[in-house]
Amino acid sequence: MRKIVIAGAVTAALSLGAVMPFESSGLVNPNKVEASVLATPLPVDLPLEYVSGVDEYGLNKSQYKINLGNRTGTLILKLYMTEKYPKNFADTLYADVKRNRASGFTLMDSDSAINPENAKGLAAFDRYSPIYGDGSVLPTFKYTSGFQNVGVNKKGERFIALGVYLNKKVNNGVYYLDTPNMATGHWKAKAYFYENVDAEKRVFNEVNRYFPLLDKVRWGVAELKHNQIGRLTMLKDTPLLKEIAGKFNTARTLKKGEQYRIYGYKEINGKGYYAVGGHFVEMNTNLAKYETPAKNKLRLVKILHEE
């Protein structure tokens, strides 16, 4: 075992009032909570491909390619402007999106930046962008079926949010994002997808809350916290230990059936202990059951807190 393993700077566990079977100082009904969790849509990551080429004027162009296959649902994109984007133009674009002015974001059915003659278009993300209708030669104008918004993530980074509910497959599920200034490297983009769910309006309204999540990430009946690596379920009444000068004293007793969030563990004098907020619980499978969350849940927590 490694000497010390701490996930993040925090090793605090739950106080008695925050023991996992209790939230908001009340006993949670597991059946009720689990039913609610199952009804809450959660997105999946979408891989993005950067497609580059030369347009009819000999200019280098590139755009993001998105492949949904046979899936329908709500497509969400989170766009960060890189340092290659001119600062003054970036600020103007951000302000335009915030005010719902025309900004030129469009979801296309072809690589429109490189081969504009093939583009018929699908949906624009602002009030005044052109959308080609079936059989049209010239673009028609209408209010978009998608949304655009702006937000700030938990790290203080500004982003432009785009989303649209796709209720049918177009172009074999392959789409392209047309954005202002298609030069390679101007955008850092993340894509997420709510399959078989129309989450467009709700995500738009919650862009600065859990975007692109619609709820907290739950593991069983409790929220999975940032930097949490596991949970401990007491199999027996077990001492919660406090270390003083290499020796342990019992701070109190953890009761059988209680659960605690674990943020790290530590080796002391050759023996392993779970870190419980400045206190410790012996690593002993007869005393407590330790579990780790599924990778997809950890990924959702990372989306929530780091993206």
Side-chain angles (χ1 to χ4, degrees):
M1 175 182 290
R2 291 170 287 181
K3 294 292 183 182
I4 298 177
V5 178
I6 300 296
V10 181
T11 57
L14 303 177
S15 65
L16 182 60
V19 171
M20 288 176 66
F22 299 85
E23 291 188 355
S24 302
S25 301
L27 182 63
V28 172
N29 181 333
N31 295 326
K32 182 177 180 181
V33 171
E34 290 296 345
S36 174
V37 172
L38 291 173
T40 302
L42 291 173
V44 295
D45 285 292
L46 278 181
L48 289 174
E49 179 184 348
Y50 222 24
V51 180
S52 299
V54 178
D55 69 8
E56 57 186 321
Y57 302 104
L59 300 175
N60 293 325
K61 297 289 185 177
S62 57
Q63 63 190 131
Y64 283 108
K65 177 181 177 182
I66 306 158
N67 191 344
L68 296 180
N70 291 320
R71 296 177 295 178
T72 58
T74 304
L75 170 65
I76 302 169
L77 297 124
K78 202 170 188 178
L79 304 173
Y80 296 90
M81 283 170 279
T82 68
E83 294 179 355
K84 293 184 180 181
Y85 222 101
K87 179 65 176 175
N88 57 341
F89 187 75
D91 286 340
T92 300
L93 179 59
Y94 187 89
D96 281 345
V97 174
K98 188 173 184 179
R99 296 167 185 166
N100 202 30
R101 293 177 178 172
S103 53
F105 295 100
T106 313
L107 191 66
M108 308 298 289
D109 58 0
S110 71
D111 53 348
S112 54
I114 302 167
N115 299 298
E117 69 278 3
N118 295 332
K120 292 182 179 179
L122 290 171
F125 297 102
D126 57 71
R127 190 179 296 272
Y128 303 108
S129 290
I131 303 179
Y132 290 79
D134 293 336
S136 297
V137 177
L138 297 174
T140 57
F141 294 80
K142 68 175 184 179
Y143 186 76
T144 177
S145 60
F147 75 77
Q148 62 172 4
N149 205 339
V150 297
V152 180
N153 69 11
K154 294 192 176 186
K155 294 187 289 187
E157 299 170 324
R158 299 189 308 171
F159 61 83
I160 293 176
L162 306 174
V164 62
Y165 175 54
L166 302 169
N167 62 359
K168 63 180 180 180
K169 183 178 68 173
V170 177
N171 194 39
N172 295 317
V174 178
Y175 308 94
Y176 296 81
L177 179 64
D178 216 325
T179 68
N181 197 328
M182 285 291 185
T184 301
H186 281 77
W187 295 97
K188 180 178 70 174
K190 296 283 186 180
Y192 312 95
F193 188 64
Y194 285 89
E195 188 170 2
N196 296 324
V197 175
D198 182 357
E200 182 182 300
K201 183 176 180 180
R202 186 175 172 191
V203 173
F204 173 82
N205 291 330
E206 298 188 9
V207 71
N208 257 330
R209 184 168 172 251
Y210 296 126
F211 182 83
L213 301 181
L214 299 186
D215 199 357
K216 298 177 181 179
V217 181
R218 290 191 175 272
W219 182 16
V221 299
E223 180 185 359
L224 182 60
K225 296 286 190 177
H226 191 215
N227 289 328
Q228 181 181 347
I229 64 170
R231 69 184 176 196
L232 203 61
T233 303
M234 312 317 299
L235 302 177
K236 298 179 180 178
D237 289 358
T238 303
L240 180 66
L241 305 173
K242 185 173 180 63
E243 181 194 10
I244 301 177
K247 296 183 179 180
F248 287 114
N249 294 319
T250 299
R252 67 180 179 88
T253 299
L254 306 182
K255 299 297 184 181
K256 179 181 177 180
E258 291 180 346
Q259 289 184 324
Y260 294 85
R261 295 185 182 95
I262 300 299
Y263 294 86
Y265 55 86
K266 188 174 183 180
E267 185 179 294
I268 302 173
N269 297 328
K271 196 169 185 179
Y273 295 86
Y274 297 108
V276 184
H279 295 73
F280 300 95
V281 174
E282 179 186 343
M283 287 184 175
N284 185 328
T285 56
N286 293 321
L287 298 177
K289 177 183 177 182
Y290 179 69
E291 301 169 278
T292 56
K295 289 183 178 179
N296 68 321
K297 288 187 178 292
L298 290 173
R299 174 66 188 132
L300 290 171
V301 171
K302 186 172 183 178
I303 291 172
L304 177 60
H305 291 275
E306 299 181 23
E307 296 181 4

